[in-house]
Amino acid sequence: MTRLQQAKILSPMRNSTQATSMETLVSEQLQHFGIDGQSDYGQALGATARHLYEAQADVMELWNITSNTLKTLSKEDRVAYFNAKKFLSFQIAKILDSLQNPFRKVYQSLAGPDGGQNHYPLFDNVTALFSATPVVVRTATYVYACTEWVDDAFQGKEATHQIYSRLLNPTNISLANAIVDLEAGPYAEGYLAWNFNSGMAAIDGLLSNVLHHGDILIVSRNVYGGVYQLLHDYYAKAERFDIKLAWFDGYTEQEFIEFMAATRRRYEMELGAGAAMHVYLESPCNPHGYVLDVPAICRQAHKHNALVMLDATLATPVLHQPLRHPDKCARPDYVVHSYTKDICGSGATTAGVIIGETYRMFQPKGECINGVDWSKTLFWDVYYIKGAFLDSEKAFDVLNGMKTLEQRMLSKVINTQVFTEFLAHHPKIRVNSHALVEHPNAGLKEKQHKYGWPCPLFTVDMAPAGLTKSEFRRFFDALEPAFSHQVSIGQNNTIILCPALTSHSEMSFEEQKKAGIEPTTMRIAMGTDNVKQLMAHFIVTAAHFIDPSVPGFSAGFMSASEIDALYLKVSLRVCEQYHGGLRSVADWLA
């Protein structure tokens, strides 16, 4: 692209200009706004515009040089490049800020004798560029530059000219960029994210983009109850999407190979008639926290051109980063997170996100990349028209929560390991958690999760104790206030509930049984709170409400000194794993 072509991007006539030089670009701009180029004002404005056109071409050249040399630069040069560009941003902003007073003065002069003009905030916002935290942009609409620019914006060809906060919002985009960096790391430049008002809104948006009437969807058995309800009661209905649901009960590669082959045979006629087959996974899954062999399943699914959608909410990018797998075929095509849970962590915000390869997420109108037409991208097909956008205040809450995600997950891993071992020691308590080395899912957890850390969600039941329903309920109700009786997960407080009555109540009794959910199953979502206090409360509650009907039940727990020793051992081991796994100073200097 020539310097003139690069400069034309700044022209108010960028699509209709006939300019053959920088000078004619300037003349066109003055004429467009009805400015006499021979007047003092016209000459000053023309000189400024000329500098800006040249600056645009120079900045693009700077970008090209950076792109071509970045991988070869030393660490010292990268630091120098960064700070030089940072200062350049301040210089450009300073020029904008210098326009503020004359701009305001001209605007004020337009007011009639009654002074009936509203405040015009455009240049007042310039200093917000340098806020140390993302700016919360509370606006529904934006000011247009000119007709050709806004036309490009509606065509998806002007990324910096936002139209409507239902579509794009600076705070929302800041969060989208942050989650892509966190999830995809070195491959981040190939991915894009769209934020939604809840995790379920994100999942619905993804399914409605990927699925077509009559498609076949392989779904991992243990999914969130809301997802089960969405699939079973909406997408699978014949009068709606008529999606054929195939519930996958396994976790390993071989189990998936066999299941997919059987499913393809079962729906051979539909596939032959043009139906597509795709895969929806939740790993770790709700309510047990099991992990599936995601990379292996992705490889097998991609052999049959099936798209893989992964809900990785419970893993968070701390435990598992599936988009960083070096083998692209082993990566899911889409990753979904409910920000509501651990990523935000406060329990004060509902939000969700979809991350996918850029060409599947957005293309300017008229383009077609890798066989995907612009109209089929998630932005134009769903996000643009459904309106389930994430507002700026919620986006800011999630961005704040992300700052402490790693530290919170470290604490939750320690608490999960300690609490599950504490419960598993009791002969009449069954713990369903891969945190225990003897658990059938522990091997896959070791294979996929960072340092082999466990998911901080698991289930427990007391079936061996033979409690009646009323005895169990009295015990369960008394677990407050140490354990919170709430329906969400991923907060700082430890939450306990009965999935059969709450998160998975949408399922029939038979479906609950298939998912390993009993009427007295307790789902525990570990928080960052004091796990010693939690264990003490559990013992005291059991002594008060279970011992009268099951004598000596509370005596089956570890002793106080054993619990203290267990906590110290686990804490030291997890902290050593974390701190020992950080990059060395030599690596940072390299």
Side-chain angles (χ1 to χ4, degrees), residues 37-84:
Q38 301 305 311
S39 66
D40 290 343
Y41 184 83
Q43 291 182 39
L45 182 61
T48 302
R50 189 178 302 107
H51 286 305
L52 292 176
Y53 285 124
E54 293 286 357
Q56 169 68 12
D58 290 338
V59 168
M60 291 304 296
E61 179 62 19
L62 197 61
W63 167 242
N64 290 332
I65 293 171
T66 301
S67 298
N68 293 331
T69 62
L70 193 57
K71 292 182 179 179
T72 65
L73 295 178
S74 67
K75 192 66 172 283
E76 292 89 340
D77 284 338
R78 292 184 190 189
V79 172
Y81 273 39
F82 172 83
N83 283 299

Side-chain angles (χ1 to χ4, degrees), residues 4 10 43 76 103 161 164 179 189 197 216 219 295 298 300 320-321 351 353 429 470 478 537 540 543 564 569:
L4 181 62
L10 292 189
Q43 291 182 39
E76 292 89 340
F103 181 83
H161 196 146
Y164 193 34
I179 190 63
E189 64 181 14
N197 200 43
I216 298 98
V219 189
C298 288
Q300 295 302 326
H320 188 207
Q321 296 164 324
V353 63
I429 296 178
S470 61
H537 187 87
V540 170
D564 286 335
K569 179 187 72 174

Side-chain angles (χ1 to χ4, degrees), residues 340 344-350 394 397 491:
T340 311
C344 182
S346 67
T349 290
T350 58
K394 287 186 174 184
D397 285 345
Q491 300 174 191

Side-chain angles (χ1 to χ4, degrees), residues 445-465:
K445 178 256 308 185
E446 291 287 339
K447 176 182 176 182
Q448 286 186 97
H449 280 193
K450 190 174 185 178
Y451 308 126
W453 285 348
C455 171
L457 185 79
F458 56 93
T459 55
V460 173
D461 72 66
M462 296 180 173

Side-chain angles (χ1 to χ4, degrees), residues 241-551:
F241 275 69
D242 195 25
I243 301 300
K244 310 299 188 294
L245 300 176
W247 296 94
F248 173 52
D249 287 296
Y251 303 93
T252 66
E253 179 178 18
Q254 188 58 41
E255 287 173 317
F256 184 79
I257 291 173
E258 294 170 3
F259 185 82
M260 190 169 199
T263 305
R264 289 182 64 82
R265 289 193 299 270
R266 179 182 176 187
Y267 293 106
E268 184 177 4
M269 185 180 300
E270 288 84 351
L271 292 168
M277 177 181 286
H278 301 299
V279 180
Y280 182 93
L281 307 175
E282 185 174 320
S283 178
C285 61
N286 191 339
H288 306 302
Y290 299 162
V291 297
L292 285 75
D293 194 339
V294 172
I297 290 174
C298 288
R299 287 194 195 96
Q300 295 302 326
H302 289 152
K303 288 180 180 179
H304 298 282
N305 297 317
L307 295 176
V308 180
M309 298 164 273
L310 171 67
D311 182 346
T313 296
L314 289 170
T316 78
V318 173
L319 296 182
H320 188 207
Q321 296 164 324
L323 297 182
R324 297 195 188 196
H325 200 288
D327 179 5
K328 190 176 179 182
C329 288
R331 301 178 206 161
D333 299 282
Y334 300 94
V335 169
V336 177
H337 285 291
S338 172
Y339 285 138
T340 311
K341 312 304 190 295
D342 282 296
I343 292 179
C344 182
S346 67
T349 290
T350 58
V353 63
I354 303 168
I355 310 166
E357 284 192 88
T358 301
Y359 75 93
R360 295 188 187 278
M361 302 295 281
F362 175 80
Q363 295 177 42
K365 286 184 178 180
E367 294 193 9
C368 182
I369 300 174
N370 295 337
V372 176
D373 188 73
W374 68 270
S375 63
K376 303 300 182 184
T377 61
L378 196 137
F379 179 84
W380 296 111
D381 187 42
V382 173
Y383 199 72
Y384 184 73
I385 56 179
K386 281 206 170 187
F389 68 102
L390 183 65
D391 63 77
S392 58
E393 285 84 357
K394 287 186 174 184
F396 184 78
D397 285 345
V398 179
L399 278 162
N400 265 344
M402 289 172 70
K403 296 175 182 177
T404 60
L405 173 61
E406 196 165 52
Q407 287 71 37
R408 286 185 284 109
M409 290 301 292
L410 179 67
S411 179
K412 289 187 179 191
V413 165
I414 293 172
N415 285 355
T416 299
Q417 196 69 61
V418 172
F419 196 60
T420 52
E421 290 188 33
F422 158 74
L423 292 177
H425 181 271
H426 198 291
K428 294 185 177 181
I429 296 178
R430 291 195 304 213
V431 181
N432 200 0
S433 170
H434 61 205
L436 304 174
V437 293
E438 66 272 17
H439 193 274
N441 195 242
L444 282 176
K445 178 256 308 185
E446 291 287 339
K447 176 182 176 182
Q448 286 186 97
H449 280 193
K450 190 174 185 178
Y451 308 126
W453 285 348
C455 171
L457 185 79
F458 56 93
T459 55
V460 173
D461 72 66
M462 296 180 173
L467 300 178
T468 65
K469 184 179 291 186
S470 61
E471 289 167 347
F472 170 77
R473 287 184 174 179
R474 285 197 299 271
F475 164 77
F476 181 82
D477 289 347
L479 289 174
E480 280 270 20
F483 297 83
S484 298
H485 288 166
Q486 298 173 21
V487 298
S488 190
I489 57 178
Q491 300 174 191
N492 287 324
N493 52 317
T494 295
I495 295 171
I496 190 167
L497 55 68
C498 294
L501 304 176
T502 53
S503 62
H504 291 68
S505 59
E506 296 88 355
M507 295 180 176
S508 65
F509 178 77
E510 291 74 20
E511 290 297 327
Q512 288 179 353
K513 291 284 287 184
K514 290 178 183 177
I517 300 171
E518 302 289 342
T520 57
T521 295
M522 293 181 289
R523 186 190 74 177
I524 300 174
M526 292 304 302
T528 60
D529 31 17
N530 187 335
V531 72
K532 290 186 179 182
Q533 182 182 2
L534 295 176
M535 290 183 286
H537 187 87
F538 203 91
I539 293 170
V540 170
T541 305
H544 189 78
F545 289 97
I546 298 180
D547 279 6
S549 54
V550 185

